[in-house]
Amino acid sequence: MKFSVSLMLMLPLLALGRVPLSKPEEDGEIWAVLVAGTEEWDEYRHQADICHAYQILSANGVPDDHIVVMMFDNIADNIVNPFPGQIFNHPTGDDVYPGVPKDYNGHDVTKENLFKVLRGDAKGLEGIGSGKVINSGPNDRIFISMEGFGDNGIFFFPYEIMMANEFADVVLEMKENNRFKEMMVYMDSSCSATMFQDLYPDDIGFYALSAANADEVTYAAYCVDGPFFNCYGEQFAVSWMEDVDSKDPSTELLKENFEITKELTYLSEVTQWGQISVENENVAAFMGSKRSYVSPARNYSTEEHKASARPSQDVPLINLQNRLRAARTPEEKTHLSSEIRTLKNKRSMIKNVMERIVLKVSGDERLAHDLMTKKQEKITAWNCYGEAANAFHKNCYALGKNTAGTTIVSALLNMCEAGYKADDIVGATKNVCVFPTLQ
C-alpha cells in the first residue's frame, strides 16, 4: 500500500518529466560477451554463430554498450568469400553481419583480454580495441557464448589456450566481488563438459550448457558444396539460436531451450552445469525481450541438421575434398591434391610427435600406448596439465590453428593424472619439438 501511495504522489511530477521512473533494484541489467576463438576461413561457422547471437540480443533490446564481441573479423571481407561483406548462419538465412560491434578483433582476441572484459578492467584495456568492458553489478545477469575448438578442460583461442580452471577462477572472483546475480554460459567446443565439471558451486547463480561430453567432438552444421564449400554454423549453436529466433523469450523457459537444443544437437551430448534451477527462468532474463525478429521463424528438424553435419575438426579436410571433386582444370586438381596430402601429413606428424613425447616421459612403449588412448573421467591435476598443454602449444603446435591437435592433447592430461611431473613433460616437448612451432 505504501508503494502505491508513493507512486500516486509521484505521478504529477512524472507527467512534468521531473522524476525519472527507475526499474526496481532487483531487476538489474543484461550484459553479454560473445567470443569466437578461431580465425581460419574453414572455421567460418564460429564467427557466423557469434554474429547471429549478436543479432538475437540486439533485436531483443540489449544495447550495444552492454554487448562485447570478440572475433577475428576476417570472414566478411575474406578474399574467398563468395558473398563479399556478408556472413550467413544458414544456407537460406539472412546476413548476420550488419551492425556487429568491432570490439576486439584480430590479435586482440585473447584470453587475457576476455578476463579483463569480465572483470571490468577498463584501465587494463586502454588502447586495445573498443576498450568496452562488463560494468555489471550484484543485480545484473551476464550471458556468455563461446565458439571454437577445445579439448579436455581447454578452450582454444587463435594464439593461446584457456584452461577451464582459469576461467572458473575469474567467474568465482566476479561472484565474490558482487559482479553478477546470475551468469549463463553456452560453451560450444569439443569436450566442453570438462570446462565446467567439478569447478562451480551449485548455489552461486552460475548456469551453463556444454555442447559435448568429456570425450566427444562437436559437429558443424549446414555444410554445403560450391560456391561456398564450407559450413554455416555449429550444430549446438544453431540449435539454441534457431529456437530462440522462433519463440517469444518472455514466455519460453531456459529449460525448454535446453531440451530443444539437446534434441537437435543429437550427435553430441548437451549437458547442464552449475545451478540448474536457473533453467526455470525465461530466456528473456539473459537475452532480452523480443522486440523484432532476426529472421522469419522456421521449422528446424533433426533430419535437416543430420543431413549437413560434419565432425568439427574434419571440416578443413572435407572442404578440400569437396573442392577437389568440383575442380575443372588439371592445375586446380593438382594443387588441391597437394593441399590434402599436406594436411593429412600434418595430422600424422602431430600424432607422431605426441607419441614420442609420451614415450620419452614414460619410457615404456606399452604404457605410452595406454597414455595415448585412455579416457579420463575427471581432471584433478590442473597445474601440471596447464603447464604441459601450454608447453605443447608453445614448443610444438599452435593448438588453436591445428584442428587435428585438439584430439590428442588428452595424452598430456593422462600423463599428469598418472603422476608424471610437469617439468618432465615440458622438457620432453622441448626435446622432441626441435622444429619451429607449427602454425
Side-chain angles (χ1 to χ4, degrees), residues 257-324:
N257 181 250
F258 161 66
E259 290 172 346
I260 290 172
T261 301
K262 185 178 179 68
E263 179 183 353
L264 290 177
T265 314
Y266 75 103
L267 288 170
S268 61
E269 183 181 2
V270 178
T271 308
Q272 296 173 301
W273 303 94
Q275 188 171 323
I276 306 302
S277 62
V278 174
E279 71 172 10
N280 294 313
E281 297 190 38
N282 292 325
V283 172
F286 291 90
M287 300 186 198
S289 300
K290 185 72 74 173
R291 294 186 178 182
S292 60
Y293 285 95
V294 175
S295 59
R298 303 184 181 92
N299 292 319
Y300 298 101
S301 66
T302 302
E303 289 73 24
E304 183 179 6
H305 283 207
K306 181 178 180 180
S308 63
R310 305 288 185 273
S312 192
Q313 81 274 15
D314 289 340
V315 169
L317 178 59
I318 293 171
N319 288 346
L320 285 173
Q321 291 170 335
N322 288 339
R323 289 169 58 193
L324 176 61

Side-chain angles (χ1 to χ4, degrees), residues 100-208:
V100 175
K102 296 181 180 293
D103 292 316
Y104 300 97
N105 305 133
H107 290 269
D108 291 338
V109 182
T110 69
K111 170 184 66 178
E112 292 305 323
N113 285 344
L114 170 63
F115 291 169
K116 290 175 182 178
V117 166
L118 293 173
R119 289 182 170 121
D121 183 8
K123 185 176 181 179
L125 287 168
E126 288 181 358
I128 301 175
S130 68
K132 193 189 302 180
V133 299
I134 300 300
N135 287 315
S136 54
N139 298 305
D140 295 344
R141 291 180 172 87
I142 301 175
F143 170 58
I144 301 175
S145 177
M146 300 189 70
E147 294 279 327
F149 291 113
D151 206 324
N152 283 279
I154 305 177
F155 180 87
F156 300 116
F157 280 83
Y159 295 95
E160 61 183 344
I161 65 176
M162 181 183 77
M163 305 300 296
N165 60 320
E166 294 179 304
F167 182 66
D169 286 345
V170 173
V171 173
L172 296 176
E173 174 192 314
M174 292 173 68
K175 186 62 180 179
E176 184 177 348
N177 292 333
N178 294 314
R179 291 187 52 77
F180 65 85
K181 177 181 180 179
E182 292 175 336
M183 178 186 289
M184 180 172 74
V185 180
Y186 280 11
M187 182 71 72
D188 195 342
S189 60
S190 297
C191 308
S192 47
T194 55
M195 294 297 294
F196 307 109
Q197 192 174 36
D198 298 329
L199 290 171
Y200 297 90
D202 60 6
D203 59 355
I204 64 168
F206 178 85
Y207 172 75

